[in-house]
Amino acid sequence: MTVRDQAAEAGAEIITGLPIPLAVAGHHRPAPFYLTADMFGGLPVQLAGGELSELVGKPVAAPHVHEVDELYLLVSPEPGQARIEVHLDGVRHELVSPAVMRIPAGSEHHFVTLEAAVGSYCFGILVGDHL
């Protein structure tokens, strides 16, 4: 019996082949999603993001809006090893890891990585099933 078979027998589901690249308005290339609205019979959240160390000074998206709230979750191997500059409705905010910031639905936003040690990540958690 495989791990997948054992999981199915226990009522669990396993999804592989992650991340799933999806086009998101304002983003320069498809965003890597780890959770999508259509997984597990429908999820109320979606999770995208990636490693930041190669993205210092390189915005991954132009200013854009979402129909749902988004949470930016910034983490790094050690506290303070990642910094991003978030632009929210024309106001600049600096986040230092570990940190989380709520982006209200309908707000224009984007971020630029200022500093990131290898192993630093920023995840966007979309609270809802719309991108």
Side-chain angles (χ1 to χ4, degrees), residues 6-29:
Q6 290 171 345
E9 189 173 290
E13 297 177 57
I14 297 173
I15 296 175
T16 58
L18 301 173
I20 299 167
L22 295 176
V24 178
H27 286 245
H28 301 307
R29 61 181 178 210

Side-chain angles (χ1 to χ4, degrees), residues 26-29 52 55 58-62 64 72 110-113:
H27 286 245
H28 301 307
R29 61 181 178 210
L52 297 175
L55 298 175
K58 302 173 188 173
V60 297
H64 61 283
Y72 280 160
H110 72 286
F111 78 87
V112 176
T113 302

Side-chain angles (χ1 to χ4, degrees), residues 25-38:
H27 286 245
H28 301 307
R29 61 181 178 210
F33 276 79
Y34 294 89
L35 293 174
T36 65
D38 61 347

Side-chain angles (χ1 to χ4, degrees), residues 19-92:
I20 299 167
L22 295 176
V24 178
H27 286 245
H28 301 307
R29 61 181 178 210
F33 276 79
Y34 294 89
L35 293 174
T36 65
D38 61 347
M39 289 178 173
F40 306 112
L43 291 176
V45 297
Q46 300 184 82
L47 174 70
E51 211 274 345
L52 297 175
S53 65
E54 299 290 323
L55 298 175
V56 174
K58 302 173 188 173
V60 297
H64 61 283
V65 300
H66 298 291
E67 296 177 25
V68 298
D69 285 358
E70 181 174 15
L71 303 172
Y72 280 160
L73 175 61
L74 180 65
V75 296
S76 59
E78 297 289 332
Q81 289 186 324
R83 292 186 309 120
I84 63 173
E85 179 179 273
V86 179
H87 296 264
L88 176 62
D89 288 333
V91 178
R92 179 191 172 279

